[in-house]
Amino acid sequence: MFLKQIVIVSTGVVSLIGAVHAQPFPSRAVRAIVPYAPGGSTDVVMRIIAPHMSQMLGQQVVVENRPGGSSTIGLDIAAKAAPDGHTMGIANLTFVANPSLISRMPFNSERDLAPVSFMSLVTFALAVHPSVPAQNVKDLIALAKARPGALNYASAGQVSANHLATERFSAATGIKMTHVPYKGGGPAVVALVSGETALLFATIPSSIQHFKTGRLRALGVSSLKRNVAMPDLPSIAEQAVPGFEAAEWNGALVATGSPRAAIDRLHQAIAKAMQIPEVRERIIALGADPVGNSPEEFGAYLKREFAVWAKLVKEVGIKVE
């Protein structure tokens, strides 16, 4: 009888453990760690879709800003979180460049984080001050080649997305320009408008009004396709540099080892949110294109970008200062 009771209790414990593991995902709030201060495009996109994801998942999606270390501080938290899908890291362009730029990474970017979904693509416009005698991308390339190092370009800071985009452009065209980093995208735009610098890969929302008033001239967009906010502006690729693409982007990742069911659920919530008309309108207004593709598609993109930046950093010698 005693043995029978032990068997019954043991069976009950096993059943209880099975029930715990079989809990539907998510079983509590989901953290979305943005590794930047509030207000940037990565933060804004996540905050736009978070309420809609919360409704679809049946649990709150809480956006948490953990800036610093060129995005490594926040993403390190995500990489070292419990591998259950309840903590997402929201990455952008620096994620694929960092392994080649930072000698002591706190985590392995390619091994420790698993792709969930490519959320949106943020297009840059190659902007120049009106004093620069270039009406298109070909003119700018010719000018830079004729005066190596004479043109100054602004950025939001060392290893910022527009710094990396400009280095990619310079490498693709064989030109040499001088980098002038500022403390943020806003000051970089102000510097360009004032004529302190000659050019900037600017986010469209930060520069479109300056294009309309003539305080800046737009030469081309950095995505392969034209941007819906500026449909008449050709891409750099179609003008002068076939295949060139250096757009900012953002996407969701979770700790490697997270259940596939959790990854799929998060991806589905992101993808569905990106199809909501209100969400699409708000993201497009940022100069971004809503995406929401699959973990496999996002993973393939990351693999290509890791290779591209490893090659570029080696060839150009970009360094974190």
Side-chain angles (χ1 to χ4, degrees):
M1 182 66 180
F2 180 67
L3 182 60
K4 185 177 181 180
Q5 287 177 331
I6 292 176
V7 172
I8 291 172
V9 171
S10 300
T11 303
V13 170
V14 172
S15 299
L16 180 61
I17 293 171
V20 170
H21 283 290
Q23 283 184 345
F25 175 86
S27 58
R28 61 181 186 275
V30 174
R31 298 167 71 195
I33 298 177
V34 175
Y36 297 97
S41 61
T42 302
D43 177 68
V44 172
V45 168
M46 189 62 235
R47 289 183 185 277
I48 288 172
I49 69 170
H52 301 280
M53 289 184 68
S54 297
Q55 291 179 355
M56 295 171 196
L57 294 171
Q59 293 284 354
Q60 194 73 14
V61 175
V62 181
V63 180
E64 185 178 325
N65 297 91
R66 291 295 188 95
S70 186
S71 82
T72 60
I73 292 175
L75 292 179
D76 185 44
I77 294 171
K80 292 173 182 171
D84 56 14
H86 286 91
T87 302
M88 294 191 300
I90 311 304
N92 69 2
L93 177 60
T94 59
F95 174 68
V96 290
N98 279 342
S100 300
L101 293 166
I102 300 174
S103 58
R104 292 188 176 183
M105 287 284 291
F107 60 94
N108 187 304
S109 302
E110 296 183 69
R111 186 184 62 215
D112 296 341
L113 286 161
V116 173
S117 184
F118 189 124
M119 290 160 45
S120 70
L121 186 73
V122 183
T123 304
F124 291 117
L126 176 52
V128 297
H129 188 268
S131 63
V132 176
Q135 299 300 316
N136 52 51
V137 177
K138 287 184 178 179
D139 287 350
L140 181 68
I141 294 170
L143 180 65
K145 285 186 174 180
R147 301 165 56 194
L151 291 178
N152 293 336
Y153 73 88
S155 82
Q158 284 285 349
V159 201
S160 60
N162 39 27
H163 174 204
L164 296 175
T166 315
E167 290 290 354
R168 195 163 179 168
F169 176 71
S170 298
T173 55
I175 62 176
K176 182 176 177 56
M177 299 186 291
T178 301
H179 181 209
V180 183
Y182 290 85
K183 293 182 179 180
V189 172
V190 170
L192 182 62
V193 171
S194 70
E196 280 184 25
T197 56
L199 64 100
L200 167 70
F201 271 82
T203 58
I204 289 177
S206 70
S207 53
I208 192 166
Q209 289 304 316
H210 297 307
F211 297 145
K212 291 178 179 178
T213 60
R215 285 179 293 213
L216 294 178
R217 183 185 305 127
L219 302 187
V221 293
S222 65
S223 52
L224 290 174
K225 299 187 299 181
R226 298 190 184 198
N227 187 269
V228 291
M230 302 180 70
D232 296 328
L233 182 64
S235 68
I236 293 170
E238 67 179 291
Q239 285 188 68
V241 193
F244 178 80
E245 183 179 23
E248 172 67 292
W249 53 268
N250 47 65
L253 307 155
V254 291
T256 298
S258 296
R260 179 62 198 222
I263 291 174
D264 286 343
R265 190 89 196 280
L266 291 171
H267 162 243
Q268 289 162 10
I270 292 170
K272 287 178 181 177
M274 291 298 181
Q275 295 305 313
I276 297 171
E278 174 200 349
V279 169
R280 295 185 65 82
E281 288 173 12
R282 292 180 66 187
I283 290 177
I284 288 170
L286 294 172
D289 296 319
V291 183
N293 67 9
S294 71
E296 288 74 22
E297 289 168 322
F298 186 28
Y301 178 85
L302 292 176
K303 185 176 181 179
R304 290 195 301 272
E305 287 294 287
F306 279 126
V308 165
W309 284 106
K311 182 173 183 290
L312 182 61
V313 169
K314 185 176 180 180
E315 290 176 352
V316 178
I318 309 171
K319 295 180 180 179
V320 176
E321 297 176 9

